[in-house]
């Protein structure tokens, strides 16, 4: 944990008076020999509780700290950050307040999260500190495993989104489009298109089926057809991504 920030962790522990100075110096010397980060060394030695160290890091950086059991990710907030961005920066959207977006960050010391995403997301980005292991788990829970297949996501959907067009049109389509299973499904379809070097993707809803086709080297290839009841949520998701709503 925080392997690239050992010297800063040392300063934080010292400033917060979390350890005896001599013990800290000894640990600072010994952790280098084991290959552990200083943060992991003090936690594994039961010298500082994990939550106490994380809270001290948050105080040092001027960020909010949240415990694992206080974390709940809303689908509409999660949809503000794409799976690629979430994995690249190791962040999960936590809370939206006006134009301010709070992100749980695996590495709260990484200033590029604020600098880059403030520009690309057009939001005022604020980092929230939590256990890095929790961020890893939340990325998987929110966006799926990197090797999750489309079939696995479809299998997990079951009878969700089984409403008719008339029924679903009465709802807020943005809410439907921002539900995690739909986000994950569309993300995987687009990721597969990029992987296959497709020039375009065709989402084709018909009365009796929903067809998705990739154009690769001028030819159209159809993926295994998803359930037709996904047509409205998926098309709505595409509109959200395209700012067409």
């Amino acid at each position: 944990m925080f392997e690239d920030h050992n010297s800063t962790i040392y300063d934080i522990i010292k400033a917060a008076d979390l350890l005896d100075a001599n013990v800290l110096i000894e640990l600072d010397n010994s952790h280098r020999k084991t290959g552990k980060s200083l943060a992991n060394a003090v936690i594994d030695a039961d010298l500082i509780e994990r939550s106490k160290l994380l809270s001290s890091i948050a105080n040092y950086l001027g960020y909010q700290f949240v415990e694992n059991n206080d974390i709940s990710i809303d689908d509409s907030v999660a949809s503000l950050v794409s799976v690629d961005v979430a994995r690249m920066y190791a962040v999960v959207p936590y809370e939206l307040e006006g134009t301010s977006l709070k992100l749980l960050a695996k590495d709260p010391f990484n200033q590029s999260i604020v600098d880059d995403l403030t520009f690309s997301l057009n939001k005022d980005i604020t980092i929230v500190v939590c256990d890095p292991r929790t961020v890893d788990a939340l990325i998987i829970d929110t966006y799926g495993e990197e090797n999750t297949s489309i079939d696995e996501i479809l299998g997990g959907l079951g009878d969700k989104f089984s409403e008719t067009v008339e029924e679903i049109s009465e709802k807020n389509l943005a809410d439907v489009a921002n539900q995690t299973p739909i986000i994950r499904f569309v993300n995987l379809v687009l990721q597969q298109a990029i992987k296959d070097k497709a020039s375009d993707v065709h989402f084709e809803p018909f009365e009796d089926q929903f067809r998705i086709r990739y154009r690769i080297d001028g030819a159209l290839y159809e993926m295994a057809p998803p359930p037709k009841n996904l047509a409205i949520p998926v098309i709505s998701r595409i509109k959200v991504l395209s700012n067409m709503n």
Side-chain angles (χ1 to χ4, degrees):
M1 182 170 73
F2 308 133
E3 289 80 1
D4 296 331
H5 308 287
N6 288 316
S7 62
T8 305
I9 295 296
Y10 181 97
D11 292 340
I12 291 171
I13 294 173
K14 183 178 179 180
D17 198 22
L18 298 178
L19 277 182
D20 176 81
N22 292 327
V23 174
L24 178 57
I25 291 171
E26 183 179 343
L27 271 174
D28 189 42
N29 292 327
S30 63
H31 84 85
R32 304 174 194 276
K33 299 176 183 178
T34 64
K36 282 185 180 181
S37 68
L38 180 57
N40 283 337
V42 298
I43 291 170
D44 291 347
D46 292 326
L47 295 172
I48 304 176
E49 291 184 0
R50 179 179 289 267
S51 61
K52 180 65 175 177
L53 179 58
L54 291 169
S55 177
S56 297
I57 290 170
N59 288 336
Y60 178 86
L61 295 172
Y63 294 150
Q64 177 186 355
F65 167 66
V66 292
E67 298 275 9
N68 295 351
N69 55 3
D70 294 331
I71 297 173
S72 177
I73 307 300
D74 186 85
D75 287 344
S76 63
V77 177
S79 68
L80 297 173
V81 175
S82 71
V83 59
D84 292 334
V85 169
R87 289 202 172 103
M88 179 182 299
Y89 291 91
V91 296
V92 178
Y94 175 57
E95 197 172 80
L96 179 66
E97 296 178 349
T99 61
S100 178
L101 178 61
K102 295 182 178 181
L103 300 177
L104 301 171
K106 183 176 182 178
D107 181 2
F109 298 98
N110 183 2
Q111 183 59 36
S112 66
I113 294 173
V114 175
D115 295 340
D116 296 353
L117 299 188
T118 294
F119 175 77
S120 63
L121 299 179
N122 195 28
K123 300 289 183 186
D124 298 320
I125 300 299
T126 303
I127 298 298
V128 176
V129 177
C130 73
D131 192 329
R133 300 174 303 181
T134 301
V135 176
D136 285 335
L138 285 171
I139 288 174
I140 292 173
D141 289 344
T142 305
Y143 300 101
E145 296 271 9
E146 284 195 75
N147 59 352
T148 300
S149 71
I150 290 175
D151 288 341
E152 287 172 332
I153 290 181
L154 289 177
L157 285 173
D159 294 327
K160 290 191 72 173
F161 313 108
S162 59
E163 299 94 335
T164 65
V165 173
E166 290 77 13
E167 291 171 334
I168 204 168
S169 64
E170 296 175 359
K171 298 180 178 181
N172 185 335
L173 287 179
D175 289 343
V176 176
N178 287 329
Q179 292 192 34
T180 298
I182 297 302
I183 293 172
R184 293 175 62 190
F185 176 74
V186 172
N187 284 344
L188 275 179
V189 170
L190 297 179
Q191 287 171 22
Q192 187 63 48
I194 293 170
K195 181 179 179 181
D196 293 340
K197 298 182 179 179
S199 59
D200 46 280
V201 184
H202 296 243
F203 295 88
E204 303 171 344
F206 296 97
E207 184 176 353
D208 58 349
Q209 66 172 318
F210 179 33
R211 188 166 64 180
I212 299 177
R213 297 190 293 169
Y214 300 120
R215 187 181 299 278
I216 302 171
D217 295 330
L220 283 170
Y221 297 88
E222 183 175 352
M223 65 171 277
K228 65 179 181 179
N229 57 290
L230 291 186
I232 298 299
V234 168
I235 297 301
S236 298
R237 179 64 190 161
I238 296 299
K239 288 183 176 180
V240 168
L241 292 174
S242 306
N243 292 318
M244 293 175 63
N245 279 358

